[in-house]
Amino acid sequence: MKFSYVSHLQCPKCDKQYNAGEKHQLCECGSPLLVNYDLESLRDILKPEDLIKRKADLWRYKELLPVQREENIVTLGEGMTPLIPMERIGAEMGIPKLHMKDEGIIPTGTFKARGAAVGVSMAKELGIPELAMPTNGNAGASWALYAARGGIKSTIVMPVDAPKITRNECAIAGANLYLVDGLISDAGKIVAQTVQNQGLFDVSTLKEPYRIEGKKTMGFEIAEQMDWKVPDVILYPTGGGVGLIGIYKALKELQTLGWIPEGKLPRLVAVQSDGCAPIVKAWQEGKKESEFWEGSETLAFGINVPKALGDFLVLESLYETNGCAIAIDDATVLEEQKRIAELEGAFVCPEGAAVFAAARRLREQNWIKEEEVVVVLNTGAGIKYPDTVDFELPTLQPGELITKTEVLIEDQE
Amino acid sequence: MKFSYVSHLQCPKCDKQYNAGEKHQLCECGSPLLVNYDLESLRDILKPEDLIKRKADLWRYKELLPVQREENIVTLGEGMTPLIPMERIGAEMGIPKLHMKDEGIIPTGTFKARGAAVGVSMAKELGIPELAMPTNGNAGASWALYAARGGIKSTIVMPVDAPKITRNECAIAGANLYLVDGLISDAGKIVAQTVQNQGLFDVSTLKEPYRIEGKKTMGFEIAEQMDWKVPDVILYPTGGGVGLIGIYKALKELQTLGWIPEGKLPRLVAVQSDGCAPIVKAWQEGKKESEFWEGSETLAFGINVPKALGDFLVLESLYETNGCAIAIDDATVLEEQKRIAELEGAFVCPEGAAVFAAARRLREQNWIKEEEVVVVLNTGAGIKYPDTVDFELPTLQPGELITKTEVLIEDQE
């Protein structure tokens, strides 16, 4: 039995094939490449129950991941994040079977760790000495830290406005870190030039084929955690869209393996900010690709992506599953974030809060039905965004007493 | 088969017994209480292989936890944190079999989640409507969030200097949060008075018996993750010492069950800061209890505890396992924190970095031998302490180029 059942890479636009085990970036035609597996062989060899004894991390799906030699795996124990019932806020929304997949409970505190773990492992397998990427913060932090663990150098460029914590993560990992007085698109241009001048490997979103493979493990885990049944709806915060593309890919692979039922897949929902909603606009207009969103702005930094390279794959996943796309405003995001903490004890990131708000709204519109099983993805820990939360707090002097005031009691209720 | 095999509570100082399933705080004699289980019955009923099919969280050890009715469990999916090899920094230290148990990969980003999960679940089982505690930050954050999930109110008092992120966590959970212009001891006095005036349940460190039970699951997990062998040495950052007391208790319970070998336990090491080292001083002097450490100060906030209520239990665990206690200075902590990130891609908290530094020093002193299997506990995510990391970073203008300078190359090597 082989370690991985990877077969080849293929372009989803022009169908051109490439060998696995070689260094590739985009297809000649400019499209991202997708990784293919020999699922027909694997179908007879691997069964879901074979996974039971394996470690609770994403490498339990090694046959469906591209790394071919175990010694190249660069891991910090990422994956098999909790899938937990959200009964109290679910009741409030009228979705009693609401669940959260909590991607804050992973190394580096964000789902980006999955893409970095598999991407950096592949970079190691391919003998790449140094990688480069632009980032809005979290992806750069994850890739810089995993690269450090893999003994690979990294060059990271991020906007000066990106969360300070992610800057610290890159810097302490020993990355060549640069800030840019601009947007991620400006960072992208600097990285593209550096890649060309210095011969670095470009690991920008979807410019290498393996980040998707890491992200798709969220789809495997949701299915396994639900005992190989799938939910009716999965909602996902969508910037670059790699997570959604990955989950869709995972579900189709599981169908081919016969591990989940043929036919109807969960309806996938792309959640964006109304300050940056290119996918929502394209979906509303029934288009296959999105247009660049001018003047984008949202406090949910991770979904501030005006034009995603994989937009056509995101939109395909929505159309194919009878899903939808929806935008939420920042004020609603902050309100929902507070409500989730008060009722469920989970301090989610703004992107995660947007997804809860989207579930609430889609239930109001009856697009989500009361009896449906719904999974919302929280893509990161709220503690990575300290500045989105601000409270006026009473300060006591030593020896002073707490008095039970009306105001405090109201605050609690 | 029962859900839990809890039998009774017992005082480790005066041996007085108390019923399980009732509300207790300290023993009449002032000592913390320990939870006992019917291990003799359980020995015949439960085997390690029975755990394999259970979920990868701390509730897999439910028979050895105090909650008696499943519906009272308040969980965010905590436990079974990664135990990962640290080969590169281990090689540098001369400890090739160095492992890190990473307690940053858990809800709220700190090992405090374990105590909070079990403590709040027990509070729910006992029908407690509101709890109160003083905190240096992380414990308060975890308890406030788990209390919110359990529908229990909380009153939290923390020093104004406690990490701002933990303040946000309490506030967003809807806790009655107060800052005090003083130390945790000042916060403790305010809480004690409030508990008395308002009849709240006091969940200060060791003043309720269940936090230890949550923490001890770290010991179970280390044993299970090492296939029921135990390491030679376990190093732990020690403030209140609950984790160390818990791990020691867990290992003894596993011996009674026959799941790990009789005889020699891992040598336990209490790691403190040289700015607050009461346990180290007591251990050096061969004493059974520590003395209050005047003027304590360290950037590793979580181990700034001048006098722990359970000091005698911590010291017993060191003496009984031929362990030791060691203090590390803040500058060494920061240096080690950087080295761990550069070599292993793990951004650990300062308390965790102190423990790595302690392993390095004990190896230099040959107290740890080269061939020994060593586990260091990282008690939290580095991202919760943004202010301990500070880097000067180059800022580019859009369109500017990265030039490969000598300085940058040096920085990387």
Side-chain angles (χ1 to χ4, degrees):
Chain A
M1 188 161 174
K2 291 185 291 183
F3 189 75
S4 164
Y5 279 73
V6 64
S7 58
H8 62 282
L9 310 188
Q10 188 158 5
C11 175
K13 269 202 174 150
C14 75
D15 287 336
K16 188 171 160 68
Q17 296 198 3
Y18 296 84
N19 290 336
E22 292 172 4
K23 202 166 109 177
H24 299 292
Q25 305 237 244
L26 294 176
C27 177
E28 286 168 12
C29 80
S31 163
L33 293 172
L34 296 179
V35 182
N36 281 250
Y37 297 84
D38 180 7
L39 299 175
E40 290 310 313
S41 298
L42 191 57
R43 197 186 162 107
D44 299 327
I45 295 170
L46 190 71
K47 301 291 166 197
E49 52 271 26
D50 296 328
L51 303 180
I52 292 169
K53 288 195 174 184
R54 297 186 181 178
K55 248 198 263 186
D57 63 36
L58 63 81
W59 300 101
R60 65 198 278 112
Y61 309 109
K62 67 185 183 61
E63 288 87 351
L64 296 159
L65 291 172
V67 179
Q68 298 189 52
R69 289 184 300 283
E70 186 166 11
E71 66 268 27
N72 293 320
I73 288 178
V74 179
T75 179
L76 289 162
E78 57 288 332
M80 215 29 121
T81 55
L83 179 72
I84 53 177
M86 302 300 263
E87 290 174 6
R88 298 178 77 210
I89 200 163
E92 186 179 270
M93 290 182 189
I95 311 174
K97 293 178 196 156
L98 183 71
H99 295 73
M100 171 175 70
K101 176 85 173 154
D102 192 357
E103 292 287 305
I105 318 303
I106 202 165
T108 74
T110 144
F111 77 121
K112 302 282 184 185
R114 294 181 189 266
V118 175
V120 168
S121 297
M122 280 307 298
K124 190 175 169 192
E125 187 151 287
L126 296 169
I128 288 161
E130 185 165 358
L131 49 82
M133 72 188 299
T135 180
N136 268 337
N138 275 327
S142 293
W143 282 77
L145 283 160
Y146 278 89
R149 185 162 173 88
I152 294 171
K153 292 183 187 186
S154 60
T155 293
I156 311 285
V157 186
M158 67 168 73
V160 285
D161 290 338
K164 198 192 160 204
I165 290 179
T166 60
R167 190 192 289 186
N168 287 347
E169 290 176 277
C170 295
I172 202 167
N176 285 322
L177 174 63
Y178 298 87
L179 306 179
V180 57
D181 194 7
L183 300 176
I184 189 171
S185 42
D186 299 305
K189 284 172 203 156
I190 292 171
V191 166
Q193 196 60 55
T194 309
V195 161
Q196 209 181 322
N197 294 349
Q198 299 183 17
L200 308 183
F201 189 65
D202 190 345
V203 296
S204 307
T205 309
L206 294 174
K207 286 199 181 164
E208 62 76 59
Y210 305 109
R211 194 197 286 205
I212 295 178
E213 298 306 294
K215 297 279 185 75
K216 80 175 179 189
T217 58
M218 289 184 286
F220 293 156
E221 291 178 15
I222 290 170
E224 185 174 1
Q225 287 171 315
M226 295 198 148
D227 204 19
W228 308 105
K229 293 170 199 71
V230 289
D232 297 297
V233 180
I234 298 176
L235 298 101
Y236 200 87
T238 305
V242 182
L244 208 54
I245 298 168
I247 290 171
Y248 179 60
K249 185 171 190 285
L251 294 172
K252 286 199 300 178
E253 288 173 357
L254 292 179
Q255 281 192 331
T256 306
L257 286 172
W259 291 14
I260 61 170
E262 283 295 315
K264 198 164 69 101
L265 285 175
R267 308 198 305 280
L268 300 179
V269 179
V271 180
Q272 299 202 298
S273 162
D274 69 355
C276 182
I279 300 286
V280 177
K281 183 165 180 286
W283 178 80
Q284 283 169 342
E285 295 167 355
K287 294 199 174 143
K288 288 191 173 173
E289 295 197 9
S290 66
E291 286 161 38
F292 190 92
W293 188 275
E294 295 292 343
S296 69
E297 199 179 355
T298 166
L299 63 82
F301 225 74
I303 52 177
N304 191 346
V305 180
K307 164 77 179 165
L309 194 55
D311 56 357
F312 69 103
L313 296 169
V314 172
L315 286 158
E316 183 195 325
S317 76
L318 305 184
Y319 296 130
E320 289 294 318
T321 63
N322 294 311
C324 72
I326 180 170
I328 305 294
D329 65 279
D330 282 359
T332 304
V333 165
L334 290 179
E335 219 171 281
E336 194 72 49
Q337 189 189 34
K338 196 155 171 281
R339 201 69 192 132
I340 299 160
E342 285 168 353
L343 287 177
E344 299 289 359
F347 183 17
V348 305
C349 65
E351 295 84 356
V355 174
F356 278 83
R360 190 186 291 273
R361 191 160 307 162
L362 290 171
R363 177 70 194 94
E364 284 163 6
Q365 296 169 1
N366 211 31
W367 190 90
I368 291 175
K369 303 288 183 299
E370 187 178 9
E371 69 282 5
E372 291 190 311
V373 178
V374 176
V375 173
V376 292
L377 264 292
N378 172 43
T379 45
I383 51 174
K384 293 197 83 173
Y385 302 70
D387 300 334
T388 55
V389 178
D390 198 26
F391 290 88
E392 282 278 320
L393 296 170
T395 301
L396 307 172
Q397 293 305 312
E400 204 176 332
L401 286 188
I402 295 175
T403 49
K404 213 168 187 172
T405 68
E406 286 307 307
V407 177
L408 284 170
I409 291 167
E410 260 174 39
D411 272 357
Q412 270 286 338
E413 281 165 3
Chain B
M1 188 159 172
K2 292 184 291 184
F3 189 77
S4 163
Y5 279 73
V6 63
S7 58
H8 62 281
L9 309 188
Q10 188 158 5
C11 175
K13 268 201 173 148
C14 76
D15 287 335
K16 187 170 162 68
Q17 296 198 2
Y18 295 84
N19 291 337
E22 292 172 3
K23 201 166 112 177
H24 298 293
Q25 303 239 245
L26 295 175
C27 178
E28 286 169 13
C29 80
S31 165
L33 293 172
L34 296 179
V35 181
N36 282 250
Y37 297 84
D38 181 6
L39 299 175
E40 290 310 312
S41 298
L42 191 58
R43 196 187 163 106
D44 299 326
I45 296 170
L46 191 71
K47 301 291 167 197
E49 52 271 25
D50 296 328
L51 302 180
I52 292 169
K53 288 196 175 185
R54 296 186 181 180
K55 246 199 265 187
D57 64 34
L58 63 80
W59 300 100
R60 64 198 280 111
Y61 310 109
K62 67 185 183 63
E63 289 87 351
L64 296 159
L65 291 172
V67 179
Q68 298 189 51
R69 287 184 302 281
E70 187 167 11
E71 66 266 27
N72 294 319
I73 289 178
V74 179
T75 180
L76 289 162
E78 58 288 331
M80 215 28 119
T81 55
L83 179 72
I84 53 177
M86 301 301 260
E87 290 174 6
R88 297 178 77 209
I89 200 164
E92 186 179 271
M93 288 182 188
I95 310 174
K97 294 178 196 154
L98 184 70
H99 294 74
M100 171 174 71
K101 176 84 172 155
D102 193 358
E103 292 286 305
I105 318 305
I106 202 166
T108 75
T110 143
F111 77 122
K112 301 283 184 184
R114 294 181 188 266
V118 175
V120 168
S121 297
M122 280 306 298
K124 189 175 168 193
E125 186 151 288
L126 296 168
I128 288 161
E130 185 165 356
L131 50 82
M133 72 188 299
T135 179
N136 268 339
N138 275 326
S142 293
W143 283 76
L145 283 160
Y146 277 89
R149 185 162 173 87
I152 294 171
K153 292 184 186 184
S154 60
T155 293
I156 310 284
V157 186
M158 67 168 72
V160 285
D161 290 338
K164 197 190 161 206
I165 289 179
T166 61
R167 192 193 288 186
N168 286 348
E169 290 176 277
C170 295
I172 201 167
N176 285 322
L177 174 63
Y178 298 87
L179 306 178
V180 57
D181 193 8
L183 301 175
I184 190 172
S185 43
D186 299 306
K189 283 173 201 155
I190 292 171
V191 166
Q193 195 63 52
T194 309
V195 162
Q196 209 181 324
N197 294 350
Q198 298 181 17
L200 309 183
F201 189 64
D202 190 346
V203 297
S204 308
T205 310
L206 294 173
K207 286 198 181 164
E208 62 77 58
Y210 304 109
R211 192 196 290 206
I212 295 179
E213 297 305 295
K215 298 280 186 77
K216 81 176 179 189
T217 57
M218 288 185 285
F220 293 156
E221 290 179 15
I222 291 170
E224 184 174 2
Q225 287 171 315
M226 295 198 147
D227 204 20
W228 309 106
K229 294 170 198 73
V230 288
D232 297 297
V233 180
I234 298 176
L235 298 101
Y236 201 86
T238 306
V242 182
L244 208 55
I245 298 167
I247 290 172
Y248 179 59
K249 184 170 189 286
L251 294 172
K252 286 200 299 178
E253 289 173 357
L254 293 179
Q255 281 193 330
T256 306
L257 287 172
W259 291 13
I260 61 170
E262 283 295 315
K264 197 163 71 95
L265 285 174
R267 307 197 308 279
L268 300 179
V269 178
V271 180
Q272 299 201 299
S273 162
D274 69 354
C276 183
I279 300 286
V280 177
K281 183 164 182 283
W283 178 79
Q284 284 169 340
E285 294 168 354
K287 291 196 175 146
K288 288 191 173 175
E289 296 195 9
S290 67
E291 286 162 37
F292 189 92
W293 188 274
E294 295 292 343
S296 69
E297 200 178 355
T298 166
L299 62 84
F301 224 76
I303 52 176
N304 191 345
V305 180
K307 163 78 181 168
L309 194 55
D311 57 355
F312 69 104
L313 295 169
V314 173
L315 287 158
E316 185 195 323
S317 77
L318 305 184
Y319 296 131
E320 289 294 318
T321 62
N322 295 311
C324 71
I326 181 170
I328 304 293
D329 64 279
D330 281 0
T332 303
V333 165
L334 291 179
E335 219 172 281
E336 193 73 48
Q337 189 189 32
K338 197 156 170 281
R339 202 69 193 132
I340 299 160
E342 285 169 351
L343 288 177
E344 299 288 0
F347 183 17
V348 305
C349 65
E351 296 83 354
V355 174
F356 277 84
R360 190 186 290 272
R361 191 160 305 164
L362 291 171
R363 178 70 193 94
E364 283 163 7
Q365 297 169 0
N366 211 30
W367 189 91
I368 292 175
K369 303 289 184 297
E370 187 178 7
E371 69 281 5
E372 290 189 311
V373 178
V374 175
V375 173
V376 293
L377 264 292
N378 172 43
T379 45
I383 50 174
K384 293 198 83 172
Y385 302 71
D387 300 333
T388 55
V389 177
D390 199 23
F391 290 87
E392 284 278 321
L393 296 170
T395 302
L396 307 173
Q397 293 307 311
E400 204 175 333
L401 286 188
I402 296 175
T403 49
K404 211 167 189 172
T405 68
E406 286 306 307
V407 178
L408 283 171
I409 292 167
E410 259 175 37
D411 272 359
Q412 270 286 342
E413 281 166 2

